[in-house]
């Protein structure tokens, strides 16, 4: 069985996922864009029984922005981390995985809300490594 680990930027909060994960879901709604400052929120939907905290479970700060929308971040570094409000699933922020996932994006949500800048311009440049 596959086991994956993940953590926040400072390492205060660490978790483990047991079993396979189907792929990444990206939500493009305006709330997810604001919460991440990016194109949206990239998550893995993990059944609750496959997820467990290894360290720092008590180091999260949840910001309940609306009755159905909240963001949990590490108290030390501010990294957005797994959301646990759902009784059946944990919503794991994909960027916090420690190792490659081996799967790509499987679902885009709220595409009608996608930011108009969420696209490549003609001649967009790509860099494989940090240049500075």
């Amino acid at each position: 069985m596959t086991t994956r680990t993940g953590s926040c930027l400072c390492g205060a909060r660490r978790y483990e996922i047991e079993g396979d994960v189907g792929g990444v879901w990206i939500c493009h709604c305006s709330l997810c864009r604001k919460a991440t400052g990016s194109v949206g929120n990239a998550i893995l939907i993990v059944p609750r029984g496959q997820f467990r905290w290894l360290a720092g479970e008590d180091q999260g700060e949840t910001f309940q922005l609306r009755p159905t929308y909240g963001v949990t971040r590490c108290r030390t570094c501010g990294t957005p981390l797994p959301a646990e409000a759902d009784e059946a699933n944990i919503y794991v922020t994909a960027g916090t995985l420690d190792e490659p996932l081996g799967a790509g994006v499987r679902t885009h949500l709220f595409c009608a809300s996608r930011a108009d800048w969420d696209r490549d311009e003609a001649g967009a440049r790509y860099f494989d490594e940090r240049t500075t």
Side-chain angles (χ1 to χ4, degrees):
M1 180 178 298
T2 304
T3 301
R4 290 185 172 80
T5 59
S7 64
C8 62
L9 191 58
C10 72
R13 299 191 86 197
R14 294 182 295 114
Y15 64 85
E16 179 177 83
I17 300 169
E18 291 264 345
D20 293 328
V21 180
V24 177
W25 297 58
I26 299 179
C27 181
H28 296 279
C29 80
S30 61
L31 295 174
C32 285
R33 286 198 322 271
K34 290 276 187 177
T36 63
S38 186
V39 299
N41 197 7
I43 61 168
L44 308 169
I45 300 175
V46 178
R48 191 171 278 279
Q50 290 178 232
F51 179 90
R52 77 179 180 103
W53 288 106
L54 298 175
E57 184 174 0
D58 61 340
Q59 294 301 309
E61 181 78 28
T62 299
F63 300 90
Q64 196 64 41
L65 305 170
R66 297 206 168 136
T68 59
Y69 190 90
V71 177
T72 300
R73 296 183 177 274
C74 173
R75 287 184 182 169
T76 304
C77 67
T79 300
L81 282 164
E84 302 180 71
D86 185 326
E87 291 180 24
N89 298 300
I90 304 291
Y91 298 92
V92 177
T93 43
T96 62
L97 288 171
D98 292 332
E99 302 92 21
L101 179 60
V105 176
R106 71 182 284 176
T107 304
H108 287 270
L109 301 168
F110 297 106
C111 291
S113 296
R114 201 173 200 159
D116 68 339
W117 50 262
D118 184 5
R119 58 183 165 75
D120 288 345
E121 290 285 334
R125 301 179 301 164
Y126 293 81
F127 299 93
D128 290 335
E129 303 267 339
R130 186 174 141 185
T131 58
T132 57

